[in-house]
């Protein structure tokens, strides 16, 4: 009875498949989380006083970019705003704007737990270790989204910019959230099988 490299437990091809599947699930979780955040917050943004003031001054800040700031805030990432005399201030929009529901904090948690579980199921993980490996693979896709979000969600205002904080976007949203929650989802999926 011969075994192929793909069927050997712990082999590189099956590991790459688990991580690759987790990466796709992670990117899907980020896109799903953003979409849910858009559905829950876009009307609040469009009807806000701040949006109307910015429009009056000719600033064209797209709703989808502000939703990006809100989605990143759900991960604990602050948004940086230009201040007076070249200073910069930062704020977590969900925490500091009453109009945004704290329920938005749950969106990335649920999306990443589901992505980790999905990655484990699709990879055929049969042990908690394999489930964890598949789940932690969500970090790959989520990290790509977080890095892209730094650029995509940046808005130029004169000589300054409004954007998600790049360090916490990369480390907190891009690595910590998916690594922990994706792993938990992957382990839970194998434990329940």
């Amino acid at each position: 009875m011969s075994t192929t490299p793909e069927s050997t437990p712990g082999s590189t091809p099956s590991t790459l498949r688990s991580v690759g599947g987790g990466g796709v699930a992670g990117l899907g979780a980020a896109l799903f989380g953003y979409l849910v955040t858009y559905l829950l917050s876009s009307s609040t943004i469009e009807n806000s006083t701040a949006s109307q003031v910015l429009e009056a001054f000719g600033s064209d800040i797209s709703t989808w970019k502000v939703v990006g700031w809100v989605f990143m805030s759900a991960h604990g990432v602050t948004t940086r705003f230009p201040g007076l005399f070249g200073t910069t201030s930062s704020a977590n929009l969900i925490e500091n704007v009453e109009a945004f529901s704290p329920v938005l904090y749950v969106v990335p948690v649920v999306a990443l737990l589901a992505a980790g579980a999905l990655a484990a199921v699709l990879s055929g993980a049969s042990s908690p270790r394999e489930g964890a490996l598949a789940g932690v693979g969500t970090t790959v896709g989520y990290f790509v989204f977080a890095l892209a979000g730094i650029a995509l969600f940046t808005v130029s205002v004169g000589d300054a910019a409004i954007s998600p904080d790049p360090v916490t976007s990369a480390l907190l949203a891009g690595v910590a959230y998916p690594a922990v929650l994706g792993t938990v989802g992957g382990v839970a999926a194998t434990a329940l099988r």
Side-chain angles (χ1 to χ4, degrees), residues 65-107:
K65 289 189 179 208
V66 180
V67 169
W69 304 341
V70 174
F71 182 60
M72 297 308 276
S73 289
H75 298 82
V77 174
T78 58
T79 301
R80 300 182 317 167
F81 299 93
L84 297 175
F85 310 112
T87 61
T88 303
S89 61
S90 59
N92 180 307
L93 297 181
I94 299 171
E95 197 174 288
N96 293 309
V97 178
E98 251 181 63
F100 295 123
S101 171
V103 170
L104 291 167
Y105 285 116
V106 178
V107 172

Side-chain angles (χ1 to χ4, degrees), residues 14-187:
S14 66
T15 301
L16 291 175
R17 187 174 52 238
S18 291
V19 173
V24 170
L27 182 57
L31 293 171
F32 176 77
Y34 175 85
L35 177 63
V36 170
T37 303
Y38 188 92
L39 294 172
L40 294 175
S41 65
S42 62
S43 63
T44 301
I45 293 164
E46 291 167 355
N47 297 325
S48 72
T49 304
S51 175
Q52 294 165 3
V53 169
L54 289 169
E55 282 179 22
F57 285 110
S59 179
D60 184 28
I61 297 180
S62 301
T63 300
W64 69 269
K65 289 189 179 208
V66 180
V67 169
W69 304 341
V70 174
F71 182 60
M72 297 308 276
S73 289
H75 298 82
V77 174
T78 58
T79 301
R80 300 182 317 167
F81 299 93
L84 297 175
F85 310 112
T87 61
T88 303
S89 61
S90 59
N92 180 307
L93 297 181
I94 299 171
E95 197 174 288
N96 293 309
V97 178
E98 251 181 63
F100 295 123
S101 171
V103 170
L104 291 167
Y105 285 116
V106 178
V107 172
V109 173
V110 171
L112 282 165
L113 287 172
L118 179 65
V121 169
L122 292 177
S123 72
S126 58
S127 70
R129 181 184 172 280
E130 291 173 357
L133 182 62
V136 79
T138 60
T139 305
V140 175
Y142 220 80
F143 184 71
V144 168
F145 181 89
L147 290 182
I150 295 167
L152 291 172
F153 305 142
T154 296
V155 174
S156 295
V157 180
D159 293 338
I162 303 172
S163 68
D165 178 68
V167 174
T168 53
S169 290
L171 297 179
L172 193 57
V175 176
Y177 262 70
V180 171
L181 295 168
T183 301
V184 169
V187 169

